[in-house]
Amino acid sequence: MILVGGGNVGLQLAKRLQNQEHEVLLMEKDSRQAQRLASVIGEDSVFLGDGCEVATQKAAGFNRADVVVAVTGEDEDNLVICQMAKAVWKVDRVLARVNDPSHEEIFRKIGVNDTVSATAIIFSLLDQQISMDDLIPVGALAKGNIEVVEAVLSLRSPLLGKSVRSVQLPPQTNIVAMLRNDQAILVSGDTIFETGDTLVAVLPRERASELRELLSPVH
């Protein structure tokens, strides 16, 4: 497994992977930082070089890596690393840290298997605390083409008092779970929506706006 980017994220990730007995190589282009990393995780686990350069990637063994993870602080660098890992070295699994959530779509388009955006995660957690009737992304399937979302119904929800079967959901949208009073309940066509219900739905990414509109509070 090769990690590119020897900042704090890369270092902590490398340490945890080593603790799980994974073979890890952490790439860092700054020589002083590379020395510091070597003192923490061992010289054999640190490679000095620019992870965006093809010669460095070859020397580090990208062609033999099962997984490449780009965790530098620059999205542009992470994008280049991921593109080269997939296109040049045919690495099966490529993951990236995305610093600007608006860049996630670009990573998905080039086929990066998974991205992690700390900003998006923190925003989602905050949003769960302050929002009702809005969709909160809680997961992604099929390389991000399918979303798992949740929404809490407020007193102004247009769904209150209606049964599941009477609501016309967007195409290919399914309510897969419902939480009521912190208990999961079995969802059927006869289930009536109540205030405070948490709906968990699976739907195509492009249908999220339609479901969001359906859940918009009554004014």
Side-chain angles (χ1 to χ4, degrees):
M1 187 177 303
I2 295 178
L3 311 179
V4 184
N8 191 51
V9 173
L11 174 59
Q12 298 306 321
L13 187 56
K15 288 166 64 178
R16 296 191 68 163
L17 289 168
Q18 283 185 329
N19 288 338
Q20 294 179 355
E21 300 184 351
H22 290 285
E23 184 180 347
V24 177
L25 185 65
L26 178 56
M27 296 183 68
E28 170 57 42
K29 61 183 178 183
D30 182 90
S31 58
R32 296 181 64 179
Q33 177 66 2
Q35 288 180 353
R36 191 179 78 85
L37 295 171
S39 68
V40 178
I41 61 175
E43 290 185 0
D44 292 341
S45 297
V46 178
F47 191 94
L48 175 61
D50 188 342
C52 294
E53 296 179 350
V54 66
T56 305
Q57 294 176 352
K58 181 179 181 180
F62 265 51
N63 58 328
R64 302 188 303 276
D66 295 321
V67 182
V68 167
V69 186
V71 290
T72 78
E74 301 293 334
D75 287 349
E76 292 78 7
D77 287 351
N78 292 339
L79 187 64
V80 169
I81 294 161
C82 291
Q83 277 184 307
M84 295 175 70
K86 292 190 75 70
V88 178
W89 305 109
K90 312 299 181 189
V91 178
D92 287 336
R93 191 151 182 83
V94 178
L95 302 94
R97 168 190 178 187
V98 179
N99 301 286
D100 183 342
S102 67
H103 293 165
E104 286 186 289
E105 183 64 23
I106 301 173
F107 281 82
R108 269 193 285 271
K109 284 183 177 178
I110 68 166
V112 176
N113 305 84
D114 288 298
T115 59
V116 177
S117 168
T119 305
I121 292 171
I122 293 171
F123 177 80
S124 177
L125 291 172
L126 285 171
D127 213 32
Q128 289 182 58
Q129 300 301 314
I130 62 178
S131 298
M132 297 185 78
D133 296 315
D134 198 4
L135 292 186
I136 307 297
V138 295
L141 304 169
K143 297 183 178 180
N145 294 318
I146 302 295
E147 282 195 335
V148 182
V149 298
E150 70 172 33
V152 181
L153 303 186
S154 74
L155 285 169
R156 296 185 298 150
S157 172
L159 301 189
L160 298 184
K162 295 181 180 179
S163 65
V164 172
R165 77 170 74 253
S166 67
V167 175
Q168 186 170 0
L169 296 170
Q172 302 175 59
T173 298
N174 295 290
I175 297 175
V176 296
M178 185 182 294
L179 302 179
R180 181 173 293 166
N181 300 322
D182 295 327
Q183 299 290 323
I185 65 172
L186 186 63
V187 181
S188 71
D190 296 325
T191 302
I192 304 297
F193 295 108
E194 298 182 6
T195 304
D197 283 348
T198 298
L199 313 183
V200 181
V202 176
L203 74 169
R205 186 181 184 84
E206 63 272 17
R207 297 293 185 185
S209 60
E210 296 174 50
L211 184 58
R212 185 174 288 107
E213 184 176 350
L214 181 69
L215 295 170
S216 296
V218 175
H219 295 285

